[in-house]
Amino acid sequence: MTAPGASNGASSGAAEGPAPSASGGVRKRKSVTGTRRLVAAGFLLPALVLLGALVVYPIGYSVYRSFFDKSGSAFAGLDNYVEIFTDDTILTAVKNNAIWVVVAPAVATALGLIFAVLTERVRWGTAFKLVVFMPMAISMLAAGIIFRLVYEQDPERGVANAVWVGVHDTFAESAGFPKAHPLPGHPLEAAGGGAFITKEPVAAGTAVQLPLVGVPPAKMPDDAEPAKAPATEPGRITGTAWLDFTRGGGGKPNAVDAGELGLKGIKVEAVKDGRVVATATAAADGTFSLPAQAEGARLRLPGSNFREPYNGVDWLGPSLVTPAIIGSYVWMWAGFAMVLIAAGLAAVPRELLEAARVDGANEWQVFRKVTVPLLAPVLAVVLVTLMINVLKIFDLVFIIAPGSAQDDANVLALQLYRSSFGTDADLGVGSAIAVLLLLLVIPVMLFNIRRMRRETRR
């Protein structure tokens, strides 16, 4: 007699059939895995084709082309790479790229850190961040045009020199009357060094006229007044220095006519036996007065009256063009650094900062010993990103640097363009520069990848 449980188990086992083998399960799993891989490959194929066509093939062909000559018909070996480090123009580009990589990312990151920390403590911090970040919305082309105008040499057009000249003229004597000179019939003659002196000695109680020409009326001081004929004073020597020119014509030479302006601020020296015995400065109407010591002296207008006006700094000259362009880059990218660092700063535990302050640390110590170490990963991201960006800098240099200073501001990306295009193009050298740029970027990218992997493991 069979137990009911045994009977049921036997019948159910017979109904289910034999158990599947282990090899059959493995084959099924392999089939599913293979199908998934085919589906994944199908989705990735368009991207892989584009990647190969737009990245892998150009890189491979550039490496291949860099070993051939200008025409591409003869094998050149390493000659193109040797030329990179022997040609003065390309060598300047390599040196400038090194300056860019060291200076620009460091300055932009430092400013971004300062802005991010300081704006946390002000009520209008959000508005300030918006203003600082706004240049990121401007293209490199537009920024280059803006700063080309900012760095114009003429203070009337260039903002940088307008500010610089304004500050200079605040603390230094302003410019005089460049190119001013007397006519042959005037009572003045050249005295050397750009100065002019009266032809005859002067006597006390007499009035002296010192007319000049050569100053455009538009260049006269704004507060210059109509010149006054000199009045005599007993025991003193008086006179008038003025622009002997009447708009629209007319007027008499060596005579103060209506509408003629005084040379305000012009310096007058009384010279006797080679020594300056007295000096005076003309008023707004050109009048001046000298003491009795000037008796028998000749009156001299020193050369300092006629020097060229201070026109500021040659920002786009050979010595300053690279720092000037780096300044425009920092203006654009400091906002980018500030936003990323501010995001990292928002994640810093406030308890650590407060604990440091409770322990007696001042704000500088908190910033240096706590804030900066906690922000080190974010600072590394910003610094590495800007370094990669700077290695490819082209637009700003090409637009801002004038033709006369473009060799001095040259960078590798610009030299790549100049070597690869135009009537005198050398595609061998251009390809070698492209390969050099790739080799310079790869270590920075590898460092960034390793850093990100370390952060992921944490």
Side-chain angles (χ1 to χ4, degrees):
M1 186 173 183
T2 307
S7 175
N8 292 341
S11 62
S12 64
E16 290 179 4
S21 64
S23 59
V26 171
R27 284 196 299 271
K28 186 176 181 180
R29 285 195 297 271
K30 286 184 177 180
S31 175
V32 172
T33 302
T35 304
R36 289 177 178 175
R37 286 178 178 173
L38 286 175
V39 172
F43 279 105
L44 289 175
L45 185 61
L48 292 174
V49 170
L50 285 174
L51 187 66
L54 300 178
V55 178
V56 178
Y57 172 74
I59 291 175
Y61 183 76
S62 296
V63 174
Y64 167 80
R65 185 65 178 83
S66 67
F67 293 106
F68 286 82
D69 64 358
K70 182 177 181 178
S71 63
S73 58
F75 183 74
L78 297 176
D79 291 350
N80 294 323
Y81 292 94
V82 172
E83 185 173 347
I84 290 177
F85 296 100
T86 54
D87 183 88
D88 290 338
T89 303
I90 304 178
L91 202 56
T92 300
V94 174
K95 293 177 182 177
N96 285 340
N97 252 100
I99 295 172
W100 271 89
V101 170
V102 172
V103 176
V107 174
T109 304
L111 283 177
L113 175 62
I114 293 170
F115 291 156
V117 171
L118 293 182
T119 50
E120 270 206 333
R121 297 177 171 272
V122 293
R123 298 171 62 183
W124 38 269
T126 303
F128 181 82
K129 288 178 182 177
L130 177 64
V131 172
V132 175
F133 187 74
M134 199 175 293
M136 284 295 299
I138 302 175
S139 68
M140 286 281 195
L141 173 65
I145 294 172
I146 290 170
F147 274 88
R148 181 65 183 269
L149 296 174
V150 168
Y151 291 135
E152 276 282 349
Q153 179 68 45
D154 186 356
E156 295 184 359
R157 298 180 60 191
V159 176
N161 266 341
V163 174
W164 192 270
V165 170
V167 173
H168 173 273
D169 290 347
T170 300
F171 297 99
E173 189 177 350
S174 60
F177 304 94
K179 299 181 181 179
H181 60 278
L183 292 174
H186 286 163
L188 291 165
E189 61 183 6
F196 300 101
I197 195 168
T198 55
K199 298 175 181 178
E200 302 294 336
V202 296
T206 59
V208 183
Q209 294 180 330
L210 303 178
L212 292 173
V213 295
V215 183
K219 297 292 184 181
M220 291 289 288
D222 294 335
D223 52 352
E225 298 178 0
K228 291 183 180 179
T232 60
E233 294 182 21
R236 297 185 68 85
I237 297 168
T238 57
T240 300
W242 82 100
L243 181 64
D244 192 13
F245 173 81
T246 303
R247 285 189 177 185
K252 298 180 180 179
N254 292 330
V256 178
D257 298 304
E260 295 179 343
L261 299 175
L263 298 174
K264 180 190 175 183
I266 198 166
K267 187 177 181 180
V268 182
E269 298 175 340
V271 181
K272 187 185 295 185
D273 300 327
R275 295 184 303 108
V276 177
V277 295
T279 61
T281 301
D285 58 4
T287 58
F288 62 89
S289 178
L290 292 164
Q293 289 91 329
E295 173 77 31
R298 297 171 70 186
L299 302 189
R300 181 175 67 186
L301 302 177
S304 59
N305 290 314
F306 311 108
R307 71 186 188 281
E308 290 293 330
Y310 180 71
N311 282 325
V313 178
D314 187 9
W315 298 104
L316 300 181
S319 57
L320 289 179
V321 62
T322 295
I325 299 173
I326 289 176
S328 66
Y329 178 88
V330 171
W331 175 78
M332 288 192 68
W333 288 88
F336 167 82
M338 178 196 65
V339 169
L340 290 188
I341 295 171
L345 190 61
V348 171
R350 302 300 164 183
E351 297 82 5
L352 296 177
L353 304 180
E354 293 302 327
R357 294 187 181 101
V358 170
D359 288 340
N362 56 38
E363 290 301 322
W364 169 244
Q365 291 172 328
V366 171
F367 173 76
R368 187 166 56 92
K369 298 284 183 70
V370 181
T371 304
V372 172
L374 290 174
L375 288 175
V378 179
L379 295 177
V381 170
V382 174
L383 196 62
V384 171
T385 302
L386 293 181
M387 287 176 67
I388 296 173
N389 183 268
V390 155
L391 283 169
K392 304 178 293 181
I393 193 70
F394 166 79
D395 318 62
L396 289 178
V397 181
F398 182 71
I399 297 167
I400 295 177
S404 58
Q406 204 161 83
D407 284 346
D408 300 287
N410 202 12
V411 290
L412 284 173
L414 176 59
Q415 185 59 41
L416 169 62
Y417 169 80
R418 296 169 70 181
S419 297
S420 302
F421 299 96
T423 56
D424 197 29
D426 188 337
L427 295 181
V429 174
S431 299
I433 295 173
V435 173
L436 176 62
L437 270 175
L438 176 65
L439 294 176
L440 291 174
V441 171
I442 286 175
V444 183
M445 294 178 63
L446 290 177
F447 170 80
N448 204 25
I449 292 171
R450 290 180 60 188
R451 185 199 55 76
M452 287 190 294
R453 285 178 177 172
R454 286 198 302 268
E455 292 296 323
T456 303
R457 293 193 193 103
R458 291 179 185 176

